[in-house]
Amino acid sequence: MKKLYLTLALGFGLAIGAGAATQATSTASAASYHVVASQSMTKTAYHKASTKGAVYNLSHTRKLASLKSYPNTTWYATKKVTLKHGNSKAVYYKVKNGAGSVSGYVWHTYLAKGVAPFNLKYARGAVALNADTNKVLWSKAANTPRPIASISKLMTLYLVEKKVADSSAGWNSTVNTSYSGLKRMGNSSVYGGFKFTKNSYTVKQLYQAALIESSNNAAIALGQWVAGGATPAYNKAFIKMMNNQADEWHLGKATFVSANGMEQNALRTYGYSVSGGNANMVSPKDVALIASHLINDYPAVLEDASHASLNVSGQLCYNYNNLLPGRKYYQASLNVDGLKTGYTDLAGYCFVGTGKKAGHDRLITVVLHDENEFTETRALMNEVYNKDLI
């Protein structure tokens, strides 16, 4: 019993000693940084000067945020504080981010004066365009052609609209969808989505399937219809029409080899490969200009593009645009109502977004080969509006 008591007493004493030691260490750590001078300053904008640095509490005992985690953040300094640590003194700025969610003290060397330059971390190419004037508002590698996956369908849909507008053909015209390659494509777990269970659909049905569901077989069938037939030979003729339209618009950074954005090595399986490059290669700026022509010449496209989902000939077509109302990245003030997503392993995630914020011209944004296409599109749209670029 005495042994147990002694053990407990010793344990309790050790615990107290450990607690006291911990407290002493914390106190010593806190005491190692102390204020020797403090001066208020006019609110001044700064941004990170390098990948180093962090935001600390005043006693420098707790790191509140790493500057590298806030690459595009503007920090606003309101106080200059001199802290002494040992025999050294250093100037720190008391800062807060624009959202007010993070505040603390940063060594002044880690900050550069001025508003943070905006950048997109993941997109390899991007552009923001005023749809009313076609003026480029912001860009990143805007003139570098890249594979664009399914946003290629915007050119296909433009030519469909053009045929409907310029000929006796109407939206209720029927399109032959009997070709076996297209039916197999529609049934594919990778390239399918809208199944051709019938040998014909209306132009409008295939248009909606291609735009909303991003149906690859619907896009090819529409292209063949525009070119005047229903076989792969007419697909080749349609691709020539796509390139001719790009030339007519003076798009010097656009080359098409498929109606739907699939690469040749994938199309070959279904009998739709053509000579030339492996993928549609278009620059972000030229993609934006194609979207601008489509929206301005045929604005009704936005009625279909704004559908989160739509039943087309008994099949549910799902819109993968996650900036639309009710979706994960929706922001009401941006008023996004279109336009087109795309993905292949080669192209990465691609997205053309458009919206018209109250009191502003319509905005078109393009991000190519992205990893967070909706987050970065939303950031780009907000950058344009916050800086009154449109």
Side-chain angles (χ1 to χ4, degrees):
M1 188 72 173
K2 290 182 179 179
K3 184 177 179 181
L4 176 60
Y5 176 81
L6 180 61
T7 301
L8 290 171
L10 286 171
F12 184 64
L14 288 172
I16 293 176
T22 300
Q23 183 176 2
T25 301
S26 297
T27 303
S29 176
S32 63
Y33 282 84
H34 60 275
V35 178
V36 295
S38 179
Q39 178 183 351
S40 296
M41 56 190 290
T42 303
K43 186 177 180 180
T44 306
Y46 288 89
H47 60 276
K48 73 179 187 67
S50 70
T51 57
K52 298 180 180 179
V55 182
Y56 283 89
N57 61 349
L58 183 58
S59 60
H60 214 277
T61 57
R62 187 159 57 96
K63 185 167 74 171
L64 306 174
S66 295
L67 291 181
K68 68 179 180 180
S69 298
Y70 294 83
N72 302 317
T73 297
T74 299
W75 300 93
Y76 295 94
T78 55
K79 185 180 288 188
K80 181 165 64 175
V81 175
T82 302
L83 296 179
K84 186 174 182 180
H85 176 56
N87 295 321
S88 301
K89 295 180 182 179
V91 174
Y92 283 73
Y93 291 141
K94 182 180 180 180
V95 300
K96 182 183 289 186
N97 63 354
S101 58
V102 180
S103 62
Y105 295 81
V106 179
W107 184 32
H108 75 283
T109 302
Y110 289 137
L111 295 172
K113 185 176 285 188
V115 174
F118 179 77
N119 192 23
L120 296 179
K121 181 178 180 180
Y122 297 107
R124 295 188 185 179
V127 73
L129 187 84
N130 183 322
D132 293 2
T133 65
N134 283 342
K135 178 183 178 182
V136 173
L137 308 172
W138 188 91
S139 66
K140 176 181 180 180
N143 293 311
T144 302
R146 295 186 182 281
I148 62 169
S150 282
I151 59 178
S152 305
K153 295 182 177 77
L154 295 179
M155 177 64 94
T156 296
L157 297 176
Y158 181 90
L159 293 173
V160 172
E161 293 265 18
K162 187 176 181 180
K163 179 168 181 174
V164 170
D166 297 347
S167 71
S168 59
W171 290 109
N172 290 323
S173 299
T174 57
V175 179
N176 188 331
T177 56
S178 62
Y179 186 71
S180 61
L182 294 183
K183 289 191 173 184
R184 285 190 292 109
M185 187 182 294
N187 291 328
S188 167
S189 60
V190 177
Y191 301 107
F194 186 80
K195 302 180 188 303
F196 282 177
T197 58
K198 300 185 294 185
N199 288 331
S200 68
Y201 293 87
T202 68
V203 172
K204 187 63 174 181
Q205 287 170 335
L206 295 182
Y207 181 97
Q208 291 172 330
L211 177 60
I212 299 170
E213 177 69 28
S214 198
S215 169
N216 288 307
N217 46 324
I220 292 179
L222 284 169
Q224 292 177 159
W225 174 79
V226 170
T231 64
Y234 289 94
N235 173 63
K236 292 180 181 179
F238 178 71
I239 291 168
K240 185 176 181 180
M241 294 175 69
M242 296 174 79
N243 286 300
N244 287 342
Q245 186 63 69
D247 290 342
E248 184 179 321
W249 287 335
H250 305 291
L251 306 184
K253 304 294 183 179
T255 304
F256 293 94
V257 292
S258 77
N260 59 16
M262 290 171 59
E263 284 96 36
Q264 296 300 301
N265 52 357
L267 287 166
R268 192 169 296 115
T269 304
Y270 304 101
Y272 278 98
S273 61
V274 299
S275 60
N278 184 43
N280 294 338
M281 300 292 290
V282 188
S283 71
K285 181 181 177 181
D286 284 353
V287 169
L289 290 171
I290 293 168
S292 179
H293 281 290
L294 177 59
I295 291 168
N296 286 311
D297 292 352
Y298 308 107
V301 65
L302 296 174
E303 295 177 15
D304 288 313
S306 62
H307 285 295
S309 62
L310 187 69
N311 189 295
V312 178
S313 189
Q315 298 183 55
L316 183 65
C317 291
Y318 182 86
N319 193 333
Y320 292 90
N321 179 354
N322 283 325
L323 286 176
L324 292 175
R327 295 293 175 78
K328 181 177 181 180
Y329 300 100
Y330 171 67
Q331 181 180 325
S333 62
L334 297 177
N335 197 27
V336 172
D337 50 9
L339 188 59
K340 190 72 193 72
T341 60
Y343 174 82
T344 66
D345 289 342
L346 180 65
Y349 290 99
C350 304
F351 180 58
V352 179
T354 187
K356 191 176 187 302
K357 190 173 183 177
H360 297 264
D361 290 346
R362 175 167 288 278
L363 175 64
I364 294 172
T365 58
V366 177
V367 293
L368 300 184
H369 209 294
D370 209 329
E371 294 180 25
N372 293 292
E373 70 274 31
F374 301 115
T375 299
E376 296 211 317
T377 292
R378 188 173 62 184
L380 178 54
M381 287 182 168
N382 281 313
E383 171 72 5
V384 169
Y385 288 125
N386 291 342
K387 291 190 175 177
D388 292 322
L389 299 178
I390 189 171

